[in-house]
Amino acid sequence: MQNKKYRPLAKSTLLFVRKKYKKRKIIGSPLNSPCVYLCRHRDMVGVVQAFSDIKTVLRPWVLNCFCSYKEAKNQFRNYTFSVRMKKSKLFCKLMSPVCARIITWYAKSVRSIPVYRNENASKSITTIKQSVRALEEDYSIVIFVDVDYTSAQECDSGDIYKGFYAVDKLYFKRNKKHIAFVPVYANEEQTVIHTPVYFMDNERQTVFDEIVKKIYNPT
C-alpha cells in the first residue's frame, strides 16, 4: 500500500484542485501497489486531471528544464511565452522569472523525476534509474506520453514516447518481475483508470498499441 505523502505545497494545491473537480466522474481505481500511470498532457489539462483523480501519491516525469530555475526561466522566455503564446517581450521578461520560480518549486514539492531529451538524451539512464528506485520505495509514477502535448482535442489515437519501456526492463532485472503500467483516459467530464498492462519481450508492440488505445479512448 502506498504510504507516502505529498509535500505541503503540493498537498495544499491538490486539495484545491480536487474540490474544484469533485463532480467529475471517475471510473476505475488506482492500484494498491506501486505502478506507472500513463496519461495524455492535453495541453496541461490532463496533468491537472491526473493529479486530481488518481487518488494516490504520484511522482511525475518532468522535462529537466523545469527542474532548474535558470533553465525554466529560459524555457518560458525563449519558447513558451515568446514562440508558443506570442507574448510581448515585456511580458516574457516580467513573467518568465515568476513562472520559473513557481514551476521549479512545485516540481520539487511533488518529487519530480527529470526527463532528458534532445542534446541531454545521454542522461536518460538517470531518469530510468530514479524511476525504478522510486517504485522500489513504494512510490507510483505518472508519465505523460503523448508527443503532441499541446493538443487538448479528442481523437482516436496519436503518437507516444516509448522510452518509458526501459523502466520495466531495469525493474525486471533488479526485481525479477514486471511492473504494472496503468493507462488513464481523461476528458472534460470523466477520468477512466484502465486495467494495468504488462510488458513481455515478445509482445512489446502489442502492449504499446493497447496503451495508445486506452489513453485516447474511455473503453
Side-chain angles (χ1 to χ4, degrees):
M1 176 70 71
Q2 177 65 263
N3 57 11
K4 305 295 182 180
K5 295 181 179 180
Y6 285 114
R7 292 178 179 176
L9 174 64
K11 186 175 181 180
S12 60
T13 305
L14 189 60
L15 289 173
F16 170 79
V17 169
R18 285 181 174 169
K19 183 177 181 179
K20 180 179 180 180
Y21 291 108
K22 64 181 180 180
K23 294 183 179 180
R24 284 173 51 78
K25 182 178 181 181
I26 304 173
I27 301 173
S29 302
L31 298 189
N32 288 326
S33 57
C35 62
V36 180
Y37 294 93
L38 303 172
C39 315
R40 289 180 61 197
H41 289 89
R42 292 180 62 87
D43 201 19
M44 292 305 293
V45 174
V47 178
V48 174
Q49 292 169 341
F51 276 93
S52 172
D53 297 344
I54 301 174
K55 310 295 187 184
T56 189
V57 175
L58 301 172
R59 289 188 62 181
W61 275 21
V62 174
L63 281 176
N64 70 293
C65 64
F66 294 120
C67 298
S68 160
Y69 170 73
K70 181 179 179 179
E71 293 183 14
K73 183 173 68 172
N74 289 336
Q75 177 75 8
F76 280 116
R77 185 169 185 172
N78 299 325
Y79 175 72
T80 305
F81 293 147
S82 59
V83 177
R84 187 180 164 204
M85 299 178 66
K86 311 295 184 184
K87 297 295 184 179
S88 68
K89 289 183 179 180
L90 179 60
F91 181 95
C92 296
K93 181 179 180 179
L94 294 177
M95 293 305 299
S96 294
V98 176
C99 292
R101 188 66 68 188
I102 293 171
I103 196 68
T104 52
W105 187 21
Y106 200 83
K108 182 178 180 180
S109 185
V110 294
R111 298 180 174 91
S112 299
I113 298 172
V115 178
Y116 301 91
R117 294 195 181 125
N118 302 323
E119 68 273 12
N120 294 313
S122 61
K123 298 181 181 179
S124 60
I125 187 60
T126 304
T127 304
I128 305 305
K129 288 180 178 179
Q130 288 187 19
S131 299
V132 171
R133 191 179 306 118
L135 292 165
E136 293 172 340
E137 292 175 351
D138 203 31
Y139 281 102
S140 286
I141 295 170
V142 60
I143 306 175
F144 301 90
V145 296
D146 49 332
V147 174
D148 186 7
Y149 67 91
T150 63
S151 175
Q153 299 299 315
E154 288 289 313
C155 51
D156 293 330
S157 64
D159 294 330
I160 64 170
Y161 291 109
K162 299 178 180 179
F164 62 85
Y165 165 70
V167 173
D168 183 71
K169 290 181 65 177
L170 182 58
Y171 188 88
F172 184 83
K173 181 178 180 180
R174 291 174 55 157
N175 297 279
K176 307 307 177 186
K177 62 180 179 179
H178 292 283
I179 194 69
F181 289 85
V182 181
V184 178
Y185 168 85
N187 63 12
E188 286 71 17
E189 291 80 32
Q190 65 175 351
T191 291
V192 179
I193 303 172
H194 289 287
T195 55
V197 299
Y198 296 85
F199 280 100
M200 303 297 176
D201 289 339
N202 60 342
E203 299 177 355
R204 190 184 312 176
Q205 188 55 51
T206 301
V207 176
F208 282 134
D209 292 342
E210 185 174 357
I211 289 169
V212 170
K213 179 181 179 181
K214 288 183 174 180
I215 67 171
Y216 281 92
N217 295 277
T219 58

